[in-house]
Each structure stands twice: as C-alpha cells, then as structure tokens.
Amino acid sequence: MTGNAPFPPRGTKEEIEEGTSFSPKFDADGLITAVTTDAKTGELLMVAWMNAEALARTVETGEAWYWSRSRGELWHKGDTSGQIQTVVELRTDCDQDTVWLKVDVAGDGGCCHVGYRSCFYRRVPKGEPGKLEPVGAEKLPHRHG
C-alpha cells in the first residue's frame, strides 16, 4: 500500500497542527514511526513502523498492526505470541509524523521478540560510547517472536 490512503490529504500547517483532521505524514518509504507504551504504567514497550494500511487497521480494529521492515509485510502484533496489543488510546504529534499507542498487552504482557517485556532492556552508560549494560529487566518465561 502506498500513499496516505485512507486518510485525508494533508492541509495547511495550521490545519495539521491545530485542526481536527487526522492526516498522518508518512516518510519517503511510506512509513510513520509508532511509539508504544503500556496504558496503565506508561512504560515504553517498543518503537516500530506503520504504513497506511497498518495504521488504518489499527484504527479500525483497536489492535496494534505494524509494518515489518525486515519481513516486508504487515504484522499483527501478538498473532503468534498471544501478546495482542489492545489500543486504549492513539495519539499523534503536532506535525502528525509520529503516532503514540497506549496499549494493554495480552498473554504474558511482553512485547520484545528477544523475550523481555519491553524492547528497551539495556542502556548506554554516560561517557561510554559503544558500551551497553542491562537495566535489570528479567526475561519472560518464554521467548516470543
């Protein structure tokens, strides 16, 4: 799927920043950044990409759909792992080039394909470029893809 369909065309800067029409801005590859957090705790779970079809399906179904850049296909989060993300709220930023999904996660509550609850389970220590250290997150009982 290419373009902005089924969303309306983008209007003026004022309409985009202050209006009530959702007209997301997809990048040159037809993608928009999707930031996903836990609706109850606010914990950052993952950052992924959506094309227009994934975003439209998310809005229509109330469950998170993404575009897998590595597989080149739509990805219904949780289809195989049981970690379905039910969207509690979907927001967009001021210029509508990023979306923020607040979700409830089914199954074991995980989101990371490596087996952690959040994809952000390591940090870069200040002053130590090139180094990663764990943040104390524990892996869930089963690894999910």
Side-chain angles (χ1 to χ4, degrees):
M1 173 174 268
T2 59
N4 211 36
F7 303 101
R10 291 174 60 80
T12 65
K13 183 177 187 231
E14 183 178 338
E15 289 169 338
I16 291 164
E17 293 178 350
E18 301 285 342
T20 59
S21 179
F22 183 39
S23 53
K25 181 180 180 183
F26 297 92
D27 68 13
D29 295 322
L31 302 174
I32 190 169
T33 305
V35 177
T36 305
T37 61
D38 183 286
K40 292 179 188 76
T41 67
E43 178 184 13
L44 177 60
L45 299 174
M46 57 186 276
V47 175
W49 297 93
M50 293 180 162
N51 63 3
E53 184 176 358
L55 183 53
R57 284 190 186 195
T58 298
V59 171
E60 291 166 9
T61 67
E63 294 179 352
W65 286 76
Y66 301 100
W67 177 257
S68 171
R69 295 182 299 168
S70 61
R71 295 187 308 266
E73 64 185 21
L74 282 176
W75 161 37
H76 181 213
K77 179 64 178 142
D79 233 7
T80 57
S81 67
Q83 300 167 333
I84 298 288
Q85 295 178 349
T86 301
V87 179
V88 174
E89 183 177 29
L90 191 151
R91 293 188 185 189
T92 191
D93 67 335
C94 53
D95 55 1
Q96 299 191 36
D97 66 356
T98 303
V99 292
W100 174 14
L101 286 77
K102 296 181 180 188
V103 301
D104 287 330
V105 183
D108 62 11
C111 290
C112 179
H113 76 281
V114 177
Y116 293 90
R117 172 163 162 71
S118 167
C119 293
F120 295 88
Y121 55 89
R122 299 174 291 180
R123 67 177 159 234
V124 178
K126 185 176 181 177
E128 297 186 54
K131 182 177 180 185
L132 287 175
E133 61 186 23
V135 295
E138 292 185 23
K139 278 197 171 186
L140 299 171
H142 296 90
R143 182 177 173 205
H144 295 286

